[in-house]
Amino acid sequence: MFNWRWWVGGLAVLLLLFSAPPIIMMGMEIALSDKVRDHFEIDRIYVNSSQPGEVEILGNGAPIPLADVMLRNSLVRDGASAAVRTMDDYAQAIDRPSDKTAAYVREYRWKEQSIRVMDQFQPGSVTGDSRAQSPLRMTINGVDWSMDSLAEVRPAYLDENRYHGYFGMLLVREDSGERLVIVQRVDGVGFDFKPETLAWRMLYVAPNGDVTEERVSYGEWKDRPELADFVNQSSASPISVGYRSGILQVWPSLLFPLLYPIGSAGAGLLMLAVMAVSLPFRRSSSRKQAS
């Protein structure tokens, strides 16, 4: 005699087994995200968003001026350094052609600590689409922390667009106190969609001026999930990274994760529920037939 319950039960188990791996991975990503939020408060530092010298963080989606961080912008051309006071002045200065490279210098000051970042580019006919390849020369309190790895620089911009994908600064608060975290991508220019080639370094600046460096490659933060947050929130990466996998870093669609694995797992659970509800009626029917 055909027993539909066995077929439904078998299909339900197959759907649940098929759906379990991505659901478990998604659950682990959510749990690690909650763990980071429980121990760290991370704010991205945005600079020059409206005019040179402005520093802010985002609070509930609205910009909040950051009084603890001061910023100075300079442009070096033909051996002379001049402060950048307006966006228009900067645009006019870099539009003048020259056979010599120019240098843009951004200096942060935080709790009496000085962080200086510099790049070089070719002035003349600079547009929003212009790109330059330059190492980011960096000093902290006069000590050179530069690396030779190249970054792609957008010389028309003074805000976070200038180093997007290669550099960012965070203000991090945790149980041990507050510190600046400088995140720099160090694997060079370009990305061929092989995440395992990506690499970064973090420079941790304490309020007393102590600086420590940490280098990490893609996926090496399994025991330090906050490092993935540092990379993502600093925008020092061409892609968003996950804690143990990139399963939550893809754009959601009808196929994933709605139909699979959420829909398939829901269908399996529904089938098991139908079986569980039908069992008492089957037993009752069997007793009546026996009597």
Side-chain angles (χ1 to χ4, degrees), residues 187-209:
D187 57 274
V189 174
F191 176 60
D192 57 2
F193 293 95
K194 294 181 180 179
E196 61 273 13
T197 64
L198 295 172
W200 300 267
R201 70 147 172 190
M202 282 77 170
L203 292 171
Y204 304 105
V205 184
N208 64 0

Side-chain angles (χ1 to χ4, degrees), residues 86-202:
T86 69
M87 298 291 189
D88 289 340
D89 288 346
Y90 174 76
Q92 292 176 11
I94 65 174
D95 200 46
R96 296 197 307 270
S98 173
D99 57 353
K100 297 181 180 180
T101 58
Y104 164 69
V105 181
R106 177 186 295 177
E107 184 177 2
Y108 304 81
R109 294 198 67 86
W110 173 74
K111 297 185 182 298
E112 300 183 0
Q113 316 309 322
S114 171
I115 300 96
R116 191 172 183 266
V117 182
M118 182 184 76
D119 67 75
Q120 292 182 307
F121 63 97
Q122 185 64 47
S125 301
V126 175
T127 69
D129 294 326
S130 299
R131 299 291 185 270
Q133 294 186 9
S134 170
L136 300 184
R137 299 302 177 191
M138 192 181 312
T139 61
I140 302 177
N141 296 327
V143 178
D144 190 4
W145 289 89
S146 302
M147 294 185 64
D148 291 332
S149 61
L150 295 176
E152 185 176 73
V153 177
R154 303 176 183 184
Y157 298 91
L158 294 179
D159 59 8
E160 300 307 310
N161 282 310
R162 189 177 190 93
Y163 303 134
H164 181 77
Y166 291 90
F167 174 88
M169 186 176 292
L170 308 170
L171 183 63
V172 179
R173 303 174 185 88
E174 49 192 303
D175 296 339
S176 59
E178 186 179 62
R179 57 180 173 169
L180 285 183
V181 179
I182 302 167
V183 185
Q184 181 183 2
R185 180 182 162 198
V186 295
D187 57 274
V189 174
F191 176 60
D192 57 2
F193 293 95
K194 294 181 180 179
E196 61 273 13
T197 64
L198 295 172
W200 300 267
R201 70 147 172 190
M202 282 77 170

Side-chain angles (χ1 to χ4, degrees), residues 3-286:
N3 191 333
W4 63 269
R5 293 176 181 82
W6 287 105
W7 286 96
V8 171
L11 181 58
V13 171
L14 287 176
L15 284 173
L16 290 174
L17 289 176
F18 183 57
S19 307
I23 288 179
I24 292 173
M25 293 168 65
M26 291 165 68
M28 291 179 64
E29 293 294 293
I30 293 172
L32 288 169
S33 177
D34 291 340
K35 179 181 178 181
V36 173
R37 282 200 299 267
D38 287 342
H39 294 88
F40 296 88
E41 183 180 343
I42 306 171
D43 284 314
R44 169 75 182 275
I45 296 176
Y46 294 87
V47 300
N48 303 323
S49 297
S50 299
Q51 63 181 15
E54 285 192 348
V55 184
E56 58 194 20
I57 61 174
L58 294 182
N60 296 324
I64 298 176
L66 191 57
D68 288 343
V69 179
M70 306 297 291
L71 184 70
R72 184 177 184 272
N73 301 276
S74 302
L75 181 65
V76 181
R77 287 202 54 169
D78 302 319
S81 177
V84 176
R85 304 191 185 281
T86 69
M87 298 291 189
D88 289 340
D89 288 346
Y90 174 76
Q92 292 176 11
I94 65 174
D95 200 46
R96 296 197 307 270
S98 173
D99 57 353
K100 297 181 180 180
T101 58
Y104 164 69
V105 181
R106 177 186 295 177
E107 184 177 2
Y108 304 81
R109 294 198 67 86
W110 173 74
K111 297 185 182 298
E112 300 183 0
Q113 316 309 322
S114 171
I115 300 96
R116 191 172 183 266
V117 182
M118 182 184 76
D119 67 75
Q120 292 182 307
F121 63 97
Q122 185 64 47
S125 301
V126 175
T127 69
D129 294 326
S130 299
R131 299 291 185 270
Q133 294 186 9
S134 170
L136 300 184
R137 299 302 177 191
M138 192 181 312
T139 61
I140 302 177
N141 296 327
V143 178
D144 190 4
W145 289 89
S146 302
M147 294 185 64
D148 291 332
S149 61
L150 295 176
E152 185 176 73
V153 177
R154 303 176 183 184
Y157 298 91
L158 294 179
D159 59 8
E160 300 307 310
N161 282 310
R162 189 177 190 93
Y163 303 134
H164 181 77
Y166 291 90
F167 174 88
M169 186 176 292
L170 308 170
L171 183 63
V172 179
R173 303 174 185 88
E174 49 192 303
D175 296 339
S176 59
E178 186 179 62
R179 57 180 173 169
L180 285 183
V181 179
I182 302 167
V183 185
Q184 181 183 2
R185 180 182 162 198
V186 295
D187 57 274
V189 174
F191 176 60
D192 57 2
F193 293 95
K194 294 181 180 179
E196 61 273 13
T197 64
L198 295 172
W200 300 267
R201 70 147 172 190
M202 282 77 170
L203 292 171
Y204 304 105
V205 184
N208 64 0
D210 289 342
V211 181
T212 56
E213 181 185 47
E214 180 175 19
R215 300 194 187 188
V216 61
S217 297
Y218 180 87
E220 290 184 350
W221 41 67
K222 292 183 178 180
D223 297 324
R224 300 274 308 285
E226 70 273 12
L227 298 183
D229 279 66
F230 292 167
V231 169
N232 286 334
Q233 295 202 38
S234 67
S235 296
S237 175
I239 58 171
S240 296
V241 301
Y243 301 104
R244 298 291 178 89
S245 70
I247 195 166
L248 292 183
Q249 307 305 318
V250 299
W251 286 103
S253 66
L254 178 62
L255 178 62
F256 181 90
L258 293 181
L259 291 180
Y260 173 79
I262 296 175
S264 55
L269 290 173
L270 181 61
M271 290 177 183
L272 290 180
V274 169
M275 286 186 59
V277 170
S278 68
L279 283 177
F281 293 100
R282 182 186 179 193
R283 290 172 181 170
S284 176
S285 176
S286 300

